[in-house]
Structures are given as structure tokens and as C-alpha cells.
Amino acid sequence: MSAFESPIRRHNWDLFESRVERNTDKILDLIEFKGLRATFFILGWVAERCPALVRRICAGGHEIASHGYAHELVTSQAPQKFREDIRKTKAILEDLTGQHVCGYRAPSFSITNKSSWALSILCEEGYGYDTSIVPIIHDRYGMPEAPSVVHQLKTESGIIWEIPPSTVSICGMRVPIGGGGYFRIFPYWMFKALFQKAEGTNSPLVTYFHPWEIDPDQPRMKGSRLSRFRHYTNLHRTHERLTRLLDDFAFAPIKEIIIPVREIYARMAKRNEPKGMVRGERQENDTLSNVGAIL
């Protein structure tokens, strides 16, 4: 999505038909039919315009987390602007749901070595975990030296937990299998085999996708050949592949699978703060779903 962004386009969002609500409802219907729940990372801009959607997601027992306000890359923001962005979004989501927002996913995984200062600000603004750092080499994001498993990050303002999207090592190279374009471009049999390989690491699988990825009829935007390939390839197959994925693997919200994150919610409860945890029935070795990663 960020490959097509420009300030002019962002300022004109309200002029175009919104497809996010109908696409997200399709996702909700599917994962609820399968008896599953997920973590939804929601833009503040969307939450302001679709408050009933946010409440429906929350009422379904899903975790609500922050995706920032208007899908601006962290690398394009100054620290104070980033602070205002994540503070505003957190307040919008918590006011709508009455639950504490603990998690953050940066637009297009844009916490990199150049923007690692953002982690300290996340701590200061009350976030308990981040899932923005992908331990791969990529032309737009990634920290190839970062750990590929759940780990603590010490910042100037305290500790935050990092929940990286899943990757696997193939011939010494780390390959992303977290979802999104990878889920659409790789043949499903390959994606499933890589997931099964990752399961052997004893770390929860973290996968994601976007509501627009189940919308093959969406309007086409102008952009580079590479951006159009990444964005539009196999949109017509995503819903069917997602259905197969939900049959082949077990999934649950981040807050129920990652033990340190559960402990953060537990401490909030002891302090009588609002919390979003609903004790799950799944065990720690189940796979992890970050299904509604971007709205």
C-alpha cells in the first residue's frame, strides 16, 4: 500500500469509495466461522470513520491494536510527529472499545535502523509490544541483524517486546513467510511447507494480511511495475488460500499466545486499568495469527 502513497492521495482519501468495512466484515465472517480470533491493527483514520466496525471487531473477542493514524511511514516522520500519531490513535481506539491498546505495527514495517528511536517513544506512550521489525534484507524495510524470535528490546525509556513476523532460514538466507504479498505470490503448497518448517523452531508463527487482499475488484492505481506486481498479484486467490490456511493451522490473538504480552495485560488488570485480554483456550505452542494486520 505505501508504494502507492503520496501526500496528495492521502488528503483525498475521503473523496473515494471506502471498501475497508465490507472487506473486513468478510474476514470477520470467515475467521468466526472457523471459530478463531485474531489481532486487528487498525488505523486511527479508519476508526474515526468506521467506529461501528471497530466495536464489531472488539465484540468478537479479537484484540485491537494500533497501526498508526494515517498509514504514514515512521521513517518519514519526526519523533514528535510520530509521538502525536501513536498517542492520537491509541486514544481513539481505547475510547471506542474501553480496552487498553498494547500493540503496535508500523505501516509497511517502517521501524528500521534509521527509525529505531520510535521504540523508546512507544514505551513512553504506554505500548507493551511492537511487531514492526522484520529480520530480512528488503528494499523498503527490514533489519537483517534482528532476532527472528520473540524478544525484549531495551530502550532509553524501558523495555518493549518485539514480535517479528515469521521467517525461515533457507541455505543461510532468511526468507519472510509472514503473509501479505508473500502469501499471495508463493504457491500455497510452498507457503504451507515453509510454515511447517517454521513450526519446528518452537516459536509462535506470526502471519498477517490486509483486507484489500481479498478484494480483486478494487480500483487499480498507477505505480512502478514492481509495486503493481506486489500489490495486485493473485488477489483473486487470497480468500480461497486464507480458507485453506485457517484449516491447516491453529490461530489466536497475540495477547493470548505470547506469554510476556499476556503478563503485560495481567499487570494492567492488577492496577485496575482497562485491558483487552480474554483468556484463550489455546496453548503456548499453537501458531499465532496477526490476521487483520492493516486496515
Side-chain angles (χ1 to χ4, degrees), residues 88-160:
K88 180 178 182 179
T89 303
K90 196 170 192 291
I92 291 168
L93 296 174
E94 291 181 342
D95 286 348
L96 284 173
T97 65
Q99 298 184 353
H100 187 86
V101 169
C102 182
Y104 175 75
R105 160 70 56 81
S108 298
F109 303 105
S110 53
I111 293 184
T112 66
N113 286 318
K114 293 181 179 179
S115 56
S116 58
W117 47 262
L119 296 165
S120 180
I121 297 176
L122 285 169
C123 283
E124 292 171 3
E125 294 300 321
Y127 289 88
Y129 75 85
D130 172 68
T131 175
S132 307
I133 298 175
V134 190
I136 63 167
I137 297 173
H138 192 277
D139 62 324
R140 296 182 61 83
Y141 56 77
M143 288 190 190
E145 74 283 2
S148 61
V149 296
V150 176
H151 59 283
Q152 280 186 339
L153 288 174
K154 295 182 179 179
T155 76
E156 294 178 356
S157 303
I159 291 173
I160 191 167

Side-chain angles (χ1 to χ4, degrees), residues 19-263:
R19 305 170 75 91
V20 66
E21 195 156 6
R22 78 181 73 163
N23 292 335
T24 306
D25 279 335
K26 289 179 183 178
I27 293 168
L28 286 170
D29 289 344
L30 176 59
I31 60 179
E32 289 173 8
F33 176 76
K34 299 292 185 180
L36 302 172
R37 285 166 294 115
T39 299
F40 283 72
F41 291 87
I42 302 177
L43 293 175
W45 188 93
V46 170
E48 284 183 329
R49 288 156 180 80
C50 305
L53 174 63
V54 177
R55 294 189 182 102
R56 285 200 300 277
I57 295 171
C58 184
H62 308 287
E63 178 184 9
I64 303 294
S66 169
H67 194 41
Y69 183 76
H71 210 269
E72 295 183 70
L73 302 182
V74 178
T75 47
S76 71
Q77 300 182 65
Q80 184 56 36
K81 188 173 186 295
F82 174 73
R83 183 187 300 278
E84 293 167 357
D85 181 286
I86 62 171
R87 179 183 293 176
K88 180 178 182 179
T89 303
K90 196 170 192 291
I92 291 168
L93 296 174
E94 291 181 342
D95 286 348
L96 284 173
T97 65
Q99 298 184 353
H100 187 86
V101 169
C102 182
Y104 175 75
R105 160 70 56 81
S108 298
F109 303 105
S110 53
I111 293 184
T112 66
N113 286 318
K114 293 181 179 179
S115 56
S116 58
W117 47 262
L119 296 165
S120 180
I121 297 176
L122 285 169
C123 283
E124 292 171 3
E125 294 300 321
Y127 289 88
Y129 75 85
D130 172 68
T131 175
S132 307
I133 298 175
V134 190
I136 63 167
I137 297 173
H138 192 277
D139 62 324
R140 296 182 61 83
Y141 56 77
M143 288 190 190
E145 74 283 2
S148 61
V149 296
V150 176
H151 59 283
Q152 280 186 339
L153 288 174
K154 295 182 179 179
T155 76
E156 294 178 356
S157 303
I159 291 173
I160 191 167
W161 285 90
E162 184 63 34
I163 320 292
S166 290
T167 58
V168 294
S169 181
I170 300 178
C171 299
M173 178 179 296
R174 191 146 292 281
V175 177
I177 59 168
Y182 309 108
F183 182 61
R184 289 182 287 106
I185 294 168
F186 292 168
Y188 182 76
W189 64 264
M190 180 185 298
F191 193 86
K192 180 179 177 180
L194 293 173
F195 251 48
Q196 291 170 332
K197 177 179 174 66
E199 277 188 306
T201 64
N202 260 342
S203 182
L205 296 177
V206 183
T207 188
Y208 69 93
F209 67 94
H210 315 81
W212 56 261
E213 290 183 279
I214 63 166
D215 185 3
D217 299 322
Q218 63 189 264
R220 266 39 178 181
M221 294 182 287
K222 294 181 179 179
S224 69
R225 184 175 298 178
L226 178 60
S227 293
R228 286 184 279 114
F229 172 76
R230 287 172 172 170
H231 193 91
Y232 298 121
T233 297
N234 288 334
L235 291 178
H236 63 292
R237 295 178 177 168
T238 309
H239 193 278
E240 182 269 336
R241 289 184 177 184
L242 179 60
T243 302
R244 294 174 64 183
L245 185 73
L246 299 183
D247 286 334
D248 290 338
F249 296 90
F251 295 89
I254 290 175
K255 67 184 180 184
E256 294 180 14
I257 295 296
I258 304 299
I259 293 174
V261 173
R262 294 214 316 242
E263 292 172 349

